[in-house]
Amino acid sequence: MELDPEAGQSLYLQLADALAGQIEAGTYRAGDRIPSVRKLREQFGVSLSTVLEACRVLEDRGLVQARAQSGHYVRAPRPRPRSEPEESASSSEAKHVDASLALRLNLGIGNPQEPTLGAAVQGPELMAVTALNRLMSHVLRHQPAACHSYDAPPGSAVLRRSIAQRGGDAGYSVSADDVVITSGAKEAVYLSIRAVTKAGDTVAIESPAYYALLEVLGSLGLRAFEIASHPRHGMNLDDLSRALESQPVAAVALVSNFSNPTGSCMTDAAKRRLVGILDRHDVPLVEDDVYGELVFEGPRPSAIKAFDTRGLVLYCSSYSKTVSPGLRVGWSIPGRYQNEVELLKLVVNQATAVAPQLALAAFLDSGGCDRHIRRVRRMYRDQMASTIDAVERFFPDATRLTRPQGGHVLWVQLPPAVDAMDLYGAAHTNGIRIAPGPMFSPSGGYRNFVRLNTGFPWSEKTERQIETLGRLVAERSG
Ligand SMILES: Cc1ncc(COP(=O)(O)O)c(C=O)c1O
């Protein structure tokens, strides 16, 4: 067996695949020790880090288990992988949005030291705390006048330039003048939706949808038309086309990459086709791409913005998921709606705080941000793998779940008899937070679904929480 440095795949993945093949073929069986790191280095002529990375991949795939001072042992075969939820259904009419459920629930967002399966937040280990603290004090010391003065839309020129330069990674090409800095992606989405709608209008959304989008639609008196979505590929574009043909729709809104709550990611072909549909109907799209950079392996997926030639896409993102949610720095690239979004930003809160903008710009320009994102991608990948593994071990057989390739939310379909709101209550009593399915639909659907957050490093405590949840689900499965 030989590894090929010329092959498109990295050496550690080739090595992991080779060892996985041997485990599958029965060369190594449950309980056997695979060759030591030293032996593998010699046998394959690769570096220590290549072997260690390959072993980590095997651990993530649940094939081997590391034992301290002893080596890697083949694990007993996993339970059969669960199937994914089926594509959801489109609604038959646009509905008034009542997002008050989300506001009433406690998802455990308050305390970053306390891992939560509820809110889609990350642990401090996944934030660039030390580097940003240093850069914040640097900008406050060296640029006090700028940091303490009013800024104006579109925001800091240095940050907008860095953001524009990084657009190439997502496939779009813009200049600093096209970017409007906002206080997080939530504000970017809010301003974008406001810029293209008026009260009473209908917005076509994916189903299930990020609940904060529902809050925006509800607060602006907009109606939602839910479009069927696949848990892996996102919005059903045939259904969207039909909806746009059959009624007036003011805008479409979705999360293009590693959506919340399903983790779905649209293919490039679908992104291109969606832009064609928008062009034909002259309908704008509010694209939320906060998770695109958190792809687990390989290059970051494109933004829909990459295919937009007519300025119909209002692109929204932030550094909340990648770097720090507390800094509240996001941005919009509103295309032909630039003036409207800038004016709304001015009306709502004048400008985003200056010091976080300057600190982030320095972080981006130093290359520190790229290094940080490379590191956290691996952490998010491992956390997702551990969560999936635990759900498969502890939840009843009839459970289905998604397999996101990025981001940090997992969408779980429970056996039909389980009511997610009842489960939420029981979990709460046991000190466990979850996000129940009905939060993600204006029509209160997804009664037997929950979203689990995978944003914290895996711990014994999280494993126990998932075990308890599995028991609570089993008790309610009928
Ligand atoms: C899809 C999506 N968009 C936006 C946000 C919020 O982003 P920000 O904190 O930058 O406002 C979240 C946070 O959970 C999210 O999941």
Side-chain angles (χ1 to χ4, degrees):
M1 214 171 12
E2 280 188 5
L3 308 184
D4 177 7
E6 305 299 317
Q9 200 183 30
S10 24
L11 285 177
Y12 73 91
L13 279 178
Q14 291 184 48
L15 178 55
D17 285 343
L19 291 167
Q22 290 187 317
I23 293 171
E24 207 172 299
T27 313
Y28 300 109
R29 295 176 188 221
D32 286 353
R33 196 169 76 120
I34 62 170
S36 67
V37 171
R38 185 179 51 78
K39 272 221 181 97
L40 288 171
R41 280 184 64 187
E42 285 166 13
Q43 184 183 344
F44 289 94
V46 289
S47 68
L48 174 66
S49 62
T50 299
V51 174
L52 291 177
E53 193 61 18
C55 289
R56 261 167 41 88
V57 171
L58 292 178
E59 280 183 66
D60 290 346
R61 292 184 191 168
L63 293 174
V64 302
Q65 190 173 26
R67 289 192 203 149
Q69 318 292 341
S70 173
H72 290 86
Y73 289 79
V74 178
R75 286 175 67 144
R78 282 186 197 223
R80 210 160 36 86
R82 310 302 173 86
S83 38
E84 63 190 4
E86 284 170 5
E87 182 173 290
S88 61
S90 294
S91 56
S92 51
E93 54 177 6
K95 291 194 187 84
H96 165 75
V97 182
D98 174 7
S100 60
L101 175 62
L103 299 171
R104 288 200 307 272
L105 298 179
N106 176 352
L107 303 189
I109 202 169
N111 180 1
Q113 307 299 339
E114 187 62 34
T116 177
L117 294 165
V121 292
Q122 74 268 48
E125 303 84 346
L126 289 104
M127 303 172 194
V129 175
T130 311
L132 281 163
N133 282 355
R134 195 170 34 74
L135 290 166
M136 283 285 275
S137 48
H138 186 269
V139 297
L140 282 163
R141 255 199 328 272
H142 290 88
Q143 300 180 68
C147 289
H148 290 284
S149 304
Y150 276 121
D151 194 6
S156 150
V158 276
L159 178 59
R160 286 184 290 115
R161 198 169 51 240
S162 307
I163 288 172
Q165 281 167 3
R166 296 167 68 86
D169 296 345
Y172 60 80
S173 166
V174 295
S175 78
D177 292 341
D178 300 315
V179 179
V180 182
I181 303 298
T182 60
S183 299
K186 272 182 98 163
E187 190 185 52
V189 169
Y190 175 75
L191 300 178
S192 300
I193 296 273
R194 266 190 74 177
V196 296
T197 59
K198 56 182 186 329
D201 280 350
T202 295
V203 177
I205 58 170
E206 57 192 334
S207 181
Y210 172 45
Y211 65 80
L213 171 65
L214 300 180
E215 288 167 0
V216 171
L217 302 187
S219 71
L220 294 176
L222 297 163
R223 294 183 317 153
F225 192 100
E226 291 177 274
I227 306 290
S229 299
H230 188 278
R232 217 173 333 130
H233 305 308
M235 188 178 272
N236 180 323
L237 299 182
D238 292 333
D239 277 17
L240 176 67
S241 285
R242 272 192 288 277
L244 295 182
E245 270 149 29
S246 64
Q247 66 200 292
V249 170
V252 181
L254 51 74
V255 182
S256 46
N257 298 313
F258 316 124
S259 184
N260 181 352
T262 62
S264 66
C265 183
M266 293 173 70
T267 62
D268 274 2
K271 287 168 179 159
R272 191 187 307 265
R273 182 173 165 216
L274 172 56
V275 170
I277 295 170
L278 300 171
D279 282 354
R280 250 194 326 283
H281 293 272
D282 209 32
V283 170
L285 168 76
V286 177
E287 175 184 16
D288 180 343
D289 187 23
V290 283
Y291 294 108
E293 294 218 55
L294 296 184
V295 61
F296 297 152
E297 307 268 352
R300 159 218 215 294
S302 323
I304 299 172
K305 185 79 185 166
F307 304 96
D308 176 33
T309 52
R310 296 182 52 221
L312 273 175
V313 177
L314 298 96
Y315 179 83
C316 304
S317 192
S318 75
Y319 287 108
S320 300
K321 305 297 169 184
T322 42
V323 174
S324 157
L327 285 188
R328 306 307 301 140
V329 178
W331 73 96
S332 167
I333 303 174
R336 64 165 84 156
Y337 306 96
Q338 174 99 14
N339 290 341
E340 288 87 333
V341 170
E342 282 192 26
L343 178 63
L344 283 166
K345 173 71 184 165
L346 186 77
V347 169
V348 169
N349 58 16
Q350 175 70 31
T352 293
V354 176
Q357 293 188 62
L358 296 180
L360 251 173
F363 193 44
L364 292 170
D365 292 347
S366 69
C369 187
D370 285 322
R371 280 193 298 280
H372 167 77
I373 290 176
R374 276 200 295 278
R375 181 175 71 86
V376 296
R377 275 179 182 170
R378 288 197 295 272
M379 295 175 73
Y380 281 121
R381 177 196 67 192
D382 295 352
Q383 292 161 199
M384 179 67 76
S386 301
T387 312
I388 290 176
D389 180 60
V391 171
E392 290 188 327
R393 275 186 289 129
F394 295 123
F395 278 45
D397 283 348
T399 305
R400 294 169 169 235
L401 63 157
T402 51
R403 276 167 209 285
Q405 300 302 306
H408 59 82
V409 290
L410 180 65
W411 186 231
V412 183
Q413 181 176 8
L414 306 169
V418 183
D419 182 303
M421 292 308 299
D422 172 43
L423 182 69
Y424 168 84
H428 204 278
T429 309
N430 282 272
I432 303 169
R433 310 278 186 244
I434 52 170
M439 289 176 70
F440 301 94
S441 154
S443 50
Y446 305 106
R447 201 191 43 80
N448 63 320
F449 285 78
V450 290
R451 186 197 69 185
L452 299 180
N453 173 45
T454 66
F456 285 80
W458 189 246
S459 66
E460 184 85 8
K461 183 169 176 189
T462 310
E463 177 150 337
R464 292 288 73 81
Q465 291 199 339
I466 293 183
E467 186 176 13
T468 304
L469 273 179
R471 181 174 50 73
L472 297 173
V473 171
E475 285 166 7
R476 287 163 175 74
S477 296

